[in-house]
Amino acid sequence: MSPTSAPSKDREGGAAPDSRKAVRGRAARRHPFARFLVRRIITALLLALGITLVTFILTNLVPGDPAAANLGQRAIGDPAIVAQWRADHGLDKPLPQQYLVHLSGVLHGDLGQSQQSHRPVADDLAEFVPATLELAGAAILISLILGVGFGVVAALRRDRLPDHILRVTSLFGISVPTFWLALVAFYVFFYRLQITPGSGRIDPGMTPPPHVTGLYTVDSALAGQWDVFASAAGHLVTPALVLALYTIGLLTRFTRSAVLEVLGQDYVRAARAKGLPGRVILFRYVLRPALVPVITVAGLAFGSLLSGTVLVEAIFAWPGVGQYAYKSATSLDLPAVMGVGLVVGVVYLVINLIVDVLYGVIDPRVRLS
Amino acid sequence: MRRRQTAPRTGGLLRRLPEAWRRPLAIAGGVVAIAWILIALAAPVLAPHDPLAQELPRLAPPGPGHWFGTDQLGRDILSRVLYGARVSIPLTLLLVALSVLIGGLLGACAGYFGKWVDETIMRLADLVFAFPTIILAMVVAAALGASLGNAVLAVLVVAWPAYARVTRGLVLGIREREFVVSGRLLGFSAWRSLRVDVLPNVTGPVMVLATLDIGTALLLLSGLSFLGLGAKPPSPEWGAMVASGVEVFDSWWVATFPGLAILTVVLAFNFLGDTLRDALDPRTARAIKERAI
Amino acid sequence: MSERHETAAGDGVLAIEGLTVAIRGKEILRGVDLTLEPGRVHGLAGESGSGKTMTGLAVLGLLPHGARVAGRIALAGRDLLSLPPKQLNAVRGAEVAMVFQDPATSLHPMLTVGRQLTEHMRHHLRLSRGEARERAIDLMRKVRIPGPEEAIGRYPHQFSGGMRQRIAIAVALACAPKVLIADEPTTALDVTVQAGILRLLRGLCDDLGLAVLLVTHDLGVMSAVADEVSVMKDGLVVETGPRGQVLVEPRHAYTRALLDSLPENAGNAAAATAGAEPSEGEPA
């Protein structure tokens, strides 16, 4: 931050409008951010490639013969059939070539066949992914609203009672085992108190809304089926809250320290010196820069939310990717597990890309320089 | 700003430590953590029953003789929870120690040598970060087969990159500082300057991260066991015990007590870690948080 | 200097009397008296920690949390120290404005220059968006930012340090305040641009009849623009008087010591010494 870093640009008395600089400024206005984004997208694509490589290697690490797992008892006895099957699936070729075959399959949406459901993994995922996205999406929304809100309150009431209370509760939030909390919530609110609906995405006997996005709350609202919407939303609340608790705690702690740091900045003092009302200072001057580290963490936290879905879905019988992954992993259904890994990894990359775009939206320095 | 940082930072942390230990949260966390470690050591003495013996009435609610009740096989849950500390706590500590060692070493190499070493290690770390932890751990555990050892290995795979990133960042910051550069100019080897100049300055922040990570590692490990990818049935592992409680969830005590055990251990270490983090200077603290979560 | 304000001199637009400030039991200011007059630049000198900056902050009620203040700060018949927060907020920016040391940190990096120029005008003066914009362009012209129409759409980081400080001055002047507190306004700047900023401040003071409190540790800067000079030491004003008298024939031993510590030619070459020791780290 040396003020002497650009002495030549600021000769005193240079009052003449420098039109050349202005034009260059306009031309450079969009490009740096575009270049930044392209770089991030390329990184993301490379990582996606890496993910396919990892899933492929892990598949090949597994002891056991995939032919044996996929062919029936009778066929396995016939070497000709086995050889034919291996040739069909490219397993007779050297590993690098097998990887290319695997990769081209992935690119064509072929993730292999699930040994459990005997359906293409891609079809299974298409069915389960929306349920998980609805759950995780609701959870991240709840976390952002509550976590950022709590964090701001804690920072503004620093070292006073609300701050201490929020500190202990947010540490509780990041310490509770999600699977256990899910069980406790299910037991207390559904089984004992009977104030929340049970497992699943909607009440039994109710027809799911017409498929548009696959998110029941959104689809039912689009179709105007408000009874279905109420049921779907009701079923969503408890698992989403359980899932969100960890992220709420995390975001509370982060928002607090981010806001505290911004509050100490010169520009906040300058804003006070301008006599702006407190609420304007908070929302315009403090929150915006504080959100930069917060969205970074929120992006990373989305990953932990996806992890959490595996545990929460198991308890609430939520028909999502988490349950699918759980069932596949315990029955060693490798194509399915790898498919899940791939999809989840890609979702995660997309989230990170969104975070990068948000950087540019929030901070003009990222966008313009 | 830059000039002020040339002084080694460990001194600052050590000076602020005693103050940090006096905070109520740190005291509470410390007491509970030590209590659990003692329980892990003394479980055979403390436990009223054999944790594996199926000798009590089945699914008996908490009461005299079996304060935490019994499970569906007639085993004493209190004894199992106490013995569970012997399974989870040493494994978690080992796990974190190994991730610190592996991640710290790789991160230090990446930061110190730079160039392709840095590229390779950090892209690998990025790759791991691209997977949500449980899913990756599940993939690893599923590929290697379900066992507690493999679960530890799986968590290790997802845990090291956090340390690699933190250490790399710290080493990068320290590498160019005068006392390191002058050491190199005096002709000391790279290894010596890593060990003597760099290492002491990195330990403080890494220790804080490790304390916070004990909780995370235990949550992951017990989560994998809960999913059936870790400890095998008779073992009194807390996550697995919660899982067995799911099948009989109207006997609430089966799942509640092992869950509380996990909660208290994780909470204790998080209380400790959070206070220690505050004791670090804010810049380092923020760097840790940003790179590690 | 401005003859037309000669009549107003004497009563003062801002009068600080017996100002004391204590933070956590430690006395920072121990009874400061200062009078600012319209159209005059009042220099406040002293080493780091002598309480110069605290005096400036106290006027705007921007002291750090837990500071205890006593005394009187009179602005047009009102005591700013006893004003309720809401009314004090109406004074800030509107009647008393401030320019901070480092424009790189005192302007918000994520808001356009135009936004930061207009928001308090719209708040204090109830201007419409268009009126505020027009006035902002005017202000930018007044502080000599090239291409003001285009410049107000840009962000602070797109300007150089000197330009940023000019913008910060424009922001301070937006609501036509009577008093401007400039806290080390040239310390963070490059030597080559310091003189320009000082000339601008001087000109604005003369043209607008502003009362300026120029806080600086730099006696070179002081001698270049100040009409009156006060010297502070350990929370007290040890000497006050016209520039010529204080800087040439100081009465107080401390002032003499300060002057002696300067390079030979300190008295006449303002810009030469200004950048010699930028004390960026800690505001006094």
Side-chain angles (χ1 to χ4, degrees), chain A residues 1-4 6-18 21-23 25-26 29 262 265-280 284-286 288-290 292 362-369, chain C residues 53 57 60 62 89-90 92-94 96-98 100 102 104-111 115-117 119-120 123-124 144-147 150 154-155 157-158 160-163 166 171 183 188-190 192-197 280:
Chain A
M1 277 292 163
S2 165
T4 53
S8 58
K9 265 193 273 173
D10 193 70
R11 289 275 164 227
E12 271 313 306
D18 190 342
K21 199 199 278 180
V23 170
R26 196 175 304 147
R29 193 158 289 180
V262 175
Q265 295 289 327
D266 257 10
Y267 52 75
V268 173
R269 199 168 59 167
R272 289 215 183 92
K274 283 161 80 176
L276 295 175
R279 121 193 78 82
V280 172
R284 196 177 294 161
Y285 275 74
V286 176
R288 192 165 164 178
V292 172
I362 292 181
D363 192 343
R365 285 168 299 179
V366 174
R367 192 164 68 232
L368 301 174
S369 61
Chain C
T53 297
L57 290 177
L60 282 163
L62 292 176
N89 230 16
R92 286 178 185 153
V96 183
M98 188 152 182
F100 293 89
D102 187 355
T105 57
S106 69
L107 291 171
H108 198 292
M110 301 176 187
L111 298 174
R115 183 78 177 253
Q116 300 189 59
L117 264 168
E119 55 183 355
H120 56 312
H123 177 72
H124 288 305
R144 301 207 206 104
I145 301 284
E150 205 240 359
R154 290 200 259 161
Y155 292 91
H157 75 271
Q158 295 169 307
S160 63
M163 287 295 157
R166 286 164 179 272
V171 169
D183 183 8
L189 299 180
D190 206 8
T192 51
V193 307
Q194 290 192 346
I197 295 288
E280 224 189 304

Side-chain angles (χ1 to χ4, degrees), chain B residues 17-35 267-273 275-276:
Chain B
L17 260 186
E19 196 264 332
W21 284 108
R22 281 200 296 273
R23 302 270 195 90
L25 277 190
I27 295 171
V31 167
V32 174
I34 290 171
L267 199 59
F269 282 105
N270 278 341
F271 276 0
L272 268 180
T275 331
L276 289 181

Side-chain angles (χ1 to χ4, degrees), chain B residues 98-121:
Chain B
L98 283 178
S99 353
V100 169
L101 215 64
I102 296 172
L105 212 61
L106 288 175
C109 287
Y112 197 86
F113 295 109
K115 301 197 187 81
W116 65 268
V117 182
D118 187 25
E119 278 299 309
T120 317
I121 293 175

Side-chain angles (χ1 to χ4, degrees), chain B residues 55-95:
Chain B
E55 55 190 17
L56 295 165
R58 293 178 179 196
L59 291 176
H66 35 77
W67 296 104
F68 285 7
T70 64
D71 66 7
Q72 53 267 60
L73 294 174
R75 295 173 297 197
D76 178 43
I77 291 177
L78 173 62
S79 308
R80 287 178 66 75
V81 166
L82 294 178
Y83 267 93
R86 287 173 91 84
V87 181
S88 298
I89 291 177
L91 272 183
T92 308
L93 294 179
L94 176 76
L95 184 54

Side-chain angles (χ1 to χ4, degrees), chain A residues 73-114:
Chain A
Q73 200 67 50
R74 197 165 42 84
I76 209 76
D78 186 343
I81 294 179
V82 173
Q84 181 63 43
W85 190 90
R86 295 181 68 88
D88 285 349
H89 289 77
L91 293 180
D92 52 346
K93 306 212 171 67
L95 273 182
Q97 205 176 337
Q98 277 190 43
Y99 172 64
L100 289 181
V101 172
H102 169 78
L103 191 63
S104 88
V106 168
L107 288 177
H108 291 96
D110 175 15
L111 301 175
Q113 187 99 4
S114 162

Side-chain angles (χ1 to χ4, degrees), chain C residues 175-198:
Chain C
C175 300
K178 299 184 203 119
V179 178
L180 178 69
I181 295 164
D183 183 8
E184 306 267 10
T186 55
T187 309
L189 299 180
D190 206 8
V191 184
T192 51
V193 307
Q194 290 192 346
I197 295 288
L198 291 176

Side-chain angles (χ1 to χ4, degrees), chain C:
Chain C
M1 292 316 110
S2 50
E3 306 303 319
R4 64 196 167 94
H5 295 296
E6 205 72 337
T7 45
D11 41 19
V13 59
L14 184 90
I16 302 173
E17 292 158 25
L19 179 69
T20 63
V21 170
I23 299 173
R24 276 184 237 106
K26 196 173 163 242
E27 283 221 306
I28 310 285
L29 298 183
R30 304 186 292 156
V32 171
D33 299 305
L34 277 179
T35 309
L36 301 190
E37 284 161 29
R40 314 277 285 174
V41 174
H42 194 124
L44 189 56
E47 323 175 284
S48 306
S50 60
K52 321 183 289 282
T53 297
M54 281 298 159
T55 309
L57 290 177
V59 175
L60 282 163
L62 292 176
L63 292 169
H65 273 291
R68 305 171 71 86
V69 202
R72 205 177 130 77
I73 299 175
L75 175 79
R78 287 158 299 168
D79 179 13
L80 294 183
L81 291 181
S82 55
L83 228 46
K86 201 142 191 189
Q87 290 181 34
L88 181 61
N89 230 16
V91 170
R92 286 178 185 153
E95 293 176 65
V96 183
M98 188 152 182
V99 175
F100 293 89
Q101 176 173 343
D102 187 355
T105 57
S106 69
L107 291 171
H108 198 292
M110 301 176 187
L111 298 174
T112 60
V113 165
R115 183 78 177 253
Q116 300 189 59
L117 264 168
T118 53
E119 55 183 355
H120 56 312
M121 284 199 268
R122 300 192 60 195
H123 177 72
H124 288 305
L125 311 176
R126 311 259 159 235
L127 297 184
S128 73
R129 193 179 293 264
E131 290 166 335
R133 193 189 124 90
E134 220 150 273
R135 201 165 158 160
I137 294 173
D138 251 19
L139 283 161
M140 294 284 267
R141 204 167 282 136
K142 208 175 273 173
V143 297
R144 301 207 206 104
I145 301 284
E149 287 90 351
E150 205 240 359
I152 59 168
R154 290 200 259 161
Y155 292 91
H157 75 271
Q158 295 169 307
F159 294 89
S160 63
M163 287 295 157
R164 280 189 212 137
Q165 194 63 302
R166 286 164 179 272
I167 292 165
I169 291 171
V171 169
L173 296 178
C175 300
K178 299 184 203 119
V179 178
L180 178 69
I181 295 164
D183 183 8
E184 306 267 10
T186 55
T187 309
L189 299 180
D190 206 8
V191 184
T192 51
V193 307
Q194 290 192 346
I197 295 288
L198 291 176
R199 220 176 301 140
L200 177 68
L201 274 176
R202 181 71 249 183
L204 291 167
C205 174
D206 295 341
D207 296 347
L208 307 172
L210 269 176
V212 176
L213 179 66
L214 177 68
V215 177
T216 179
H217 70 283
D218 187 334
L219 292 182
V221 166
M222 193 71 78
S223 71
V225 286
D227 300 311
E228 254 81 39
V229 173
S230 291
V231 179
M232 283 190 77
K233 181 183 194 297
D234 300 332
L236 281 175
V237 175
V238 295
E239 181 163 10
T240 300
R243 166 187 58 176
Q245 184 241 302
V246 175
L247 295 184
V248 180
E249 307 159 338
R251 294 205 190 106
H252 197 276
Y254 178 68
T255 315
R256 220 168 299 133
L258 269 188
L259 285 170
D260 287 346
S261 68
L262 283 177
E264 294 308 308
N265 56 349
N268 35 43
T273 53
E277 273 188 318
S279 73
E280 224 189 304
E282 279 158 358

